[in-house]
Amino acid sequence: MRVIRALVTLAVLLAAWQALVWATGLPRFILPGPLAVADALQRNAGLLAQHAATTLAEILIGLVLGVVLGTASAVVLASVRGARRWLMPLLVVSQAIPVFALAPLLVLWLGYGMVSKIAMATLVIYFPVTTALFDGLRRTEPGWLDLARTMGASGVSTLWHIRLPAALPALASGIRVAAAVAPIGAVIGEWVGSSSGLGYLMLHANARMQVDLLFAALFVLGAFAVALYAVTDALLRRALPWLPDSHAFDEKD
């Protein structure tokens, strides 16, 4: 039912968009209608697929690196008091800097290839994963920790068998947020400087007033974002089947 409602909503929005274009007579280079965008998708399918493959690779690699680095950083912050005292302020300050300000530096240091875009995506993903897992590790049930100390469990054993499993829901939330924002870092890097990718294609289409192609690239990017979030959410639900889901009860009602 949820998928059907989403498809119906999308169809209504597309119909309203097309009706607006027909009613106002807006030129194609200002606002192309869905039919024009669909035509651009068909005519430029090969070009879009070529650039989409680059962007998708940047997003997926950045997502994996961001999750791994964020998980490792959260564990260090939660386990080592000295690291928390020194690294947490740096982590917060780093996120206060706009990502657009960092993108030119990454392109300058790492070049116009995929490496700088992967680094950008990793930075965007890193913070939500780190903060979500760190918060989960700090909020472990005190009674469980007291029981572990009473039974003589070591710090490593307590972390591995109690604190990390208890923090998995928080980590799952951080990964969901990371999946939603993952395309942002890659596309920003492509806008600043690149030779391929959907962001690169969008800039060139905009410069040539090919707005229908720009919308087509944007549609592909949006499809990537929705599919990535849906796949990530499904995998997390399968990996953590014991977590309660209030939406399941809402669906029954």
Side-chain angles (χ1 to χ4, degrees), residues 151-172:
M151 300 180 66
S154 64
V156 175
S157 180
T158 301
L159 174 66
W160 183 253
H161 294 287
I162 297 178
R163 298 182 69 187
L164 273 177
L168 286 179
L171 176 61

Side-chain angles (χ1 to χ4, degrees), residues 17 20-21 24-33 36-37 206 208-212 214-215:
W17 176 8
L20 175 65
V21 172
T24 58
L26 288 171
R28 192 165 182 166
F29 63 87
I30 295 295
L31 180 64
V37 175
N206 186 52
R208 296 181 174 89
M209 300 299 289
Q210 296 175 319
V211 184
D212 52 352
L214 190 154
F215 270 89

Side-chain angles (χ1 to χ4, degrees), residues 58-68 121-122 125 175 178-179 182 228 232:
E58 294 165 355
I59 292 172
L60 294 179
I61 296 174
L63 181 61
V64 172
L65 290 177
V67 170
V68 171
T122 302
I125 293 163
I175 293 176
L228 181 61
T232 302

Side-chain angles (χ1 to χ4, degrees), residues 4-20 34:
I4 295 176
R5 285 198 297 267
L7 292 175
V8 171
T9 302
L10 178 61
V12 171
L13 291 175
L14 291 176
W17 176 8
Q18 187 65 56
L20 175 65

Side-chain angles (χ1 to χ4, degrees), residues 7-141:
L7 292 175
V8 171
T9 302
L10 178 61
V12 171
L13 291 175
L14 291 176
W17 176 8
Q18 187 65 56
L20 175 65
V21 172
W22 283 338
T24 58
L26 288 171
R28 192 165 182 166
F29 63 87
I30 295 295
L31 180 64
L35 295 178
V37 175
D39 181 60
L41 277 169
Q42 182 179 4
R43 287 186 290 104
N44 300 278
L47 180 65
L48 287 166
Q50 177 185 350
H51 288 282
T54 300
T55 301
L56 182 60
E58 294 165 355
I59 292 172
L60 294 179
I61 296 174
L63 181 61
V64 172
L65 290 177
V67 170
V68 171
L69 293 176
T71 301
S73 299
V75 171
V76 171
L77 289 171
S79 304
V80 183
R81 183 171 300 178
R84 182 163 64 248
R85 188 178 299 120
W86 288 98
L87 295 180
M88 196 61 186
L90 293 177
L91 184 64
V92 174
V93 170
S94 68
Q95 293 303 304
I97 302 175
V99 290
F100 261 115
L102 295 176
L105 293 175
L106 292 176
V107 172
L108 177 65
W109 293 337
L110 302 176
Y112 283 82
M114 289 182 59
V115 177
S116 59
K117 317 310 177 293
I118 292 171
M120 194 69 197
T122 302
L123 285 177
V124 172
I125 293 163
Y126 171 77
F127 185 73
V129 174
T130 303
T131 53
L133 180 55
F134 178 58
D135 186 64
L137 290 171
R138 288 194 305 169
R139 299 181 184 277
T140 307
E141 178 65 36

